[in-house]
Tab-separated table of all heavy atoms in Angstrom:
chain	number	residue	atom	x	y	z
A	8	LEU	N	0.068	5.489	-8.574
A	8	LEU	CA	0.743	5.931	-7.291
A	8	LEU	C	0.086	4.965	-6.292
A	8	LEU	O	-1.080	4.804	-6.213
A	8	LEU	CB	0.408	7.452	-7.117
A	8	LEU	CG	0.960	8.016	-5.755
A	8	LEU	CD1	0.226	7.601	-4.532
A	8	LEU	CD2	2.419	7.853	-5.512
A	9	THR	N	1.027	4.474	-5.471
A	9	THR	CA	0.610	3.820	-4.253
A	9	THR	C	1.828	3.827	-3.273
A	9	THR	O	2.845	4.198	-3.633
A	9	THR	CB	-0.033	2.382	-4.473
A	9	THR	OG1	-0.508	1.975	-3.191
A	9	THR	CG2	1.114	1.470	-4.985
A	10	GLY	N	1.567	3.313	-2.073
A	10	GLY	CA	2.694	3.341	-1.169
A	10	GLY	C	2.364	2.683	0.217
A	10	GLY	O	1.274	2.155	0.413
A	11	ASP	N	3.331	2.777	1.101
A	11	ASP	CA	3.162	2.157	2.404
A	11	ASP	C	3.816	3.106	3.391
A	11	ASP	O	4.674	3.901	3.130
A	11	ASP	CB	4.062	0.875	2.473
A	11	ASP	CG	3.563	-0.153	1.471
A	11	ASP	OD1	2.393	-0.557	1.472
A	11	ASP	OD2	4.305	-0.542	0.504
A	12	THR	N	3.229	2.883	4.612
A	12	THR	CA	3.734	3.796	5.715
A	12	THR	C	4.762	3.043	6.415
A	12	THR	O	4.667	1.795	6.842
A	12	THR	CB	2.612	4.040	6.719
A	12	THR	OG1	1.461	4.567	6.061
A	12	THR	CG2	3.010	5.104	7.811
A	41	LEU	N	5.329	5.255	-3.076
A	41	LEU	CA	5.612	6.266	-2.039
A	41	LEU	C	5.947	5.628	-0.727
A	41	LEU	O	5.213	4.650	-0.198
A	41	LEU	CB	4.376	7.058	-1.992
A	41	LEU	CG	4.341	8.099	-0.769
A	41	LEU	CD1	5.003	9.446	-1.338
A	41	LEU	CD2	2.947	8.434	-0.362
A	43	ALA	N	5.535	6.612	2.945
A	43	ALA	CA	4.777	7.681	3.678
A	43	ALA	C	5.448	7.925	4.983
A	43	ALA	O	4.811	7.732	6.018
A	43	ALA	CB	3.373	7.384	3.643
A	46	HIS	N	3.768	10.562	7.185
A	46	HIS	CA	2.557	9.971	7.832
A	46	HIS	C	2.899	9.113	9.035
A	46	HIS	O	2.236	9.082	10.028
A	46	HIS	CB	1.745	9.074	6.871
A	46	HIS	CG	1.059	9.994	5.778
A	46	HIS	ND1	0.119	9.433	4.916
A	46	HIS	CD2	1.196	11.228	5.488
A	46	HIS	CE1	-0.264	10.394	4.122
A	46	HIS	NE2	0.346	11.407	4.438
A	84	GLN	N	8.378	10.601	0.866
A	84	GLN	CA	7.425	11.584	1.077
A	84	GLN	C	8.052	12.900	1.528
A	84	GLN	O	7.763	14.018	1.000
A	84	GLN	CB	6.392	11.149	2.000
A	84	GLN	CG	5.108	11.885	2.032
A	84	GLN	CD	4.259	11.223	2.985
A	84	GLN	OE1	4.500	10.717	4.066
A	84	GLN	NE2	2.869	11.250	2.713
A	132	TYR	N	-3.290	13.534	8.004
A	132	TYR	CA	-2.655	12.641	7.110
A	132	TYR	C	-3.673	12.171	6.001
A	132	TYR	O	-3.283	11.793	4.954
A	132	TYR	CB	-2.032	11.407	7.852
A	132	TYR	CG	-2.839	10.168	7.920
A	132	TYR	CD1	-2.911	9.207	6.892
A	132	TYR	CD2	-3.592	9.887	9.041
A	132	TYR	CE1	-3.707	8.179	6.927
A	132	TYR	CE2	-4.446	8.790	9.084
A	132	TYR	CZ	-4.510	7.933	8.011
A	132	TYR	OH	-5.307	6.827	8.086
A	136	GLN	N	-2.912	12.285	2.232
A	136	GLN	CA	-2.938	11.109	1.296
A	136	GLN	C	-3.530	11.497	-0.058
A	136	GLN	O	-3.136	10.945	-1.043
A	136	GLN	CB	-3.731	10.001	1.983
A	136	GLN	CG	-3.595	8.720	1.165
A	136	GLN	CD	-3.600	7.373	2.024
A	136	GLN	OE1	-3.403	7.437	3.200
A	136	GLN	NE2	-3.972	6.241	1.441
A	139	ASP	N	-0.667	13.117	-1.777
A	139	ASP	CA	0.408	12.086	-2.196
A	139	ASP	C	-0.095	11.578	-3.532
A	139	ASP	O	0.775	11.365	-4.395
A	139	ASP	CB	0.260	10.849	-1.286
A	139	ASP	CG	0.768	11.044	0.149
A	139	ASP	OD1	1.431	12.088	0.425
A	139	ASP	OD2	0.257	10.275	1.053
A	140	ILE	N	-1.366	11.329	-3.660
A	140	ILE	CA	-1.908	10.773	-4.918
A	140	ILE	C	-1.872	11.671	-5.994
A	140	ILE	O	-1.279	11.564	-7.064
A	140	ILE	CB	-3.222	10.119	-4.750
A	140	ILE	CG1	-3.210	8.973	-3.689
A	140	ILE	CG2	-3.899	9.612	-5.997
A	140	ILE	CD1	-4.531	8.491	-3.103
A	148	VAL	N	-4.722	3.503	-8.353
A	148	VAL	CA	-4.092	3.434	-7.012
A	148	VAL	C	-4.260	2.018	-6.491
A	148	VAL	O	-5.227	1.778	-5.861
A	148	VAL	CB	-4.635	4.459	-6.079
A	148	VAL	CG1	-3.894	4.558	-4.816
A	148	VAL	CG2	-4.682	5.857	-6.778
A	150	VAL	N	-4.331	-0.629	-3.830
A	150	VAL	CA	-4.211	-0.564	-2.341
A	150	VAL	C	-4.954	-1.780	-1.795
A	150	VAL	O	-5.786	-2.421	-2.384
A	150	VAL	CB	-4.905	0.680	-1.888
A	150	VAL	CG1	-4.040	1.901	-2.038
A	150	VAL	CG2	-6.319	0.891	-2.458
A	154	GLN	N	-7.682	0.836	2.479
A	154	GLN	CA	-7.301	2.134	2.104
A	154	GLN	C	-8.353	2.715	1.136
A	154	GLN	O	-8.220	3.927	0.733
A	154	GLN	CB	-5.922	2.019	1.353
A	154	GLN	CG	-4.822	1.655	2.321
A	154	GLN	CD	-4.539	2.706	3.345
A	154	GLN	OE1	-4.443	3.891	3.033
A	154	GLN	NE2	-4.554	2.289	4.695
A	157	HIS	N	-9.771	5.952	1.917
A	157	HIS	CA	-8.940	7.182	1.604
A	157	HIS	C	-8.994	7.639	0.164
A	157	HIS	O	-8.658	8.767	-0.214
A	157	HIS	CB	-7.514	6.992	2.010
A	157	HIS	CG	-7.256	6.908	3.423
A	157	HIS	ND1	-7.578	7.921	4.290
A	157	HIS	CD2	-6.644	5.967	4.187
A	157	HIS	CE1	-7.247	7.612	5.561
A	157	HIS	NE2	-6.683	6.492	5.543
B	1	LIG	N1	-1.924	5.085	4.288
B	1	LIG	C1	-1.322	3.994	3.464
B	1	LIG	C2	-0.982	2.828	4.413
B	1	LIG	O1	-0.780	3.009	5.568
B	1	LIG	C3	-0.002	4.495	2.881
B	1	LIG	C4	-0.189	5.590	1.942
B	1	LIG	C5	0.138	6.962	2.196
B	1	LIG	C6	-0.725	5.558	0.638
B	1	LIG	N2	-0.161	7.686	1.098
B	1	LIG	C7	-0.710	6.839	0.095
B	1	LIG	C8	-1.255	4.522	-0.097
B	1	LIG	C9	-1.249	7.207	-1.166
B	1	LIG	C10	-1.735	4.791	-1.354
B	1	LIG	C11	-1.825	6.115	-1.871
B	1	LIG	O2	-0.978	1.703	3.943
Side-chain angles (χ1 to χ4, degrees):
L8 176 289
T9 186
D11 300 299
T12 308
L41 177 87
H46 291 191
Q84 197 177 37
Y132 99 80
Q136 189 150 339
D139 296 338
I140 297 170
V148 188
V150 284
Q154 295 296 310
H157 287 306

